[in-house]
Amino acid sequence: VQLQASGGGSVQPGGSLRLSCAASGFTFDYYAIAWFRQAPGLEREGVSCISSIDDNTYYADSVKGRFTVSRDNAKNTVYLQMNSLKPEDTAVYYCAADRGSCHGRMDYWGQGTLVTVSS
């Protein structure tokens, strides 16, 4: 089982990045995929999630209207489009998969990708 997050980098405030989470080793279609982030000195927080059924999406209040999560089951990949980035979005972003739902405990985790928003 592998979840490979990529697409992080450095961007100025107001800029955009698209993160990708490529999955392998499990039946991707059956899993909800979530994005979490952890900033230095802070606890990990949920950012967004897309369900396995009906592609329902969920967002933290702090990113609503700026981030968009989507999935391509043919490519076993979930994307997180991040627009209007703010310095407070700086964190290591992780993707995770849950067999049940976006509200589960997450069965699998990927390594993180660093997003830095700074002028």
Side-chain angles (χ1 to χ4, degrees), residues 23-46:
S24 61
F26 60 97
T27 308
F28 182 78
D29 299 20
Y30 295 168
Y31 282 73
I33 306 295
W35 287 96
F36 294 82
R37 67 186 181 187
Q38 187 166 21
L42 299 179
E43 293 187 356
R44 185 176 64 201
E45 64 171 338

Side-chain angles (χ1 to χ4, degrees), residues 23-97:
S24 61
F26 60 97
T27 308
F28 182 78
D29 299 20
Y30 295 168
Y31 282 73
I33 306 295
W35 287 96
F36 294 82
R37 67 186 181 187
Q38 187 166 21
L42 299 179
E43 293 187 356
R44 185 176 64 201
E45 64 171 338
V47 174
S48 182
C49 186
I50 185 164
S51 68
S52 59
I53 300 173
D54 297 329
D55 286 353
N56 288 329
T57 57
Y58 303 89
Y59 299 95
D61 288 343
S62 57
V63 306
K64 279 181 182 176
R66 300 188 298 121
F67 290 12
T68 303
V69 64
S70 61
R71 66 189 296 157
D72 184 340
N73 288 345
K75 295 183 178 180
N76 284 8
T77 300
V78 166
Y79 304 98
L80 185 67
Q81 178 67 43
M82 306 187 297
N83 298 329
S84 302
L85 283 162
K86 303 176 181 180
E88 51 264 44
D89 295 318
T90 295
V92 177
Y93 285 71
Y94 302 87
C95 57

Side-chain angles (χ1 to χ4, degrees), residues 101-118:
S101 74
C102 283
H103 307 293
R105 291 190 174 188
M106 302 295 139
D107 300 302
Y108 308 124
W109 288 84
Q111 93 298 345
T113 186
L114 177 62
V115 172
T116 303
V117 185
S118 174

Side-chain angles (χ1 to χ4, degrees), residues 2-17:
Q2 189 172 17
L3 289 168
Q4 183 79 30
S6 63
S10 295
V11 65
Q12 292 186 340
S16 298
L17 284 173

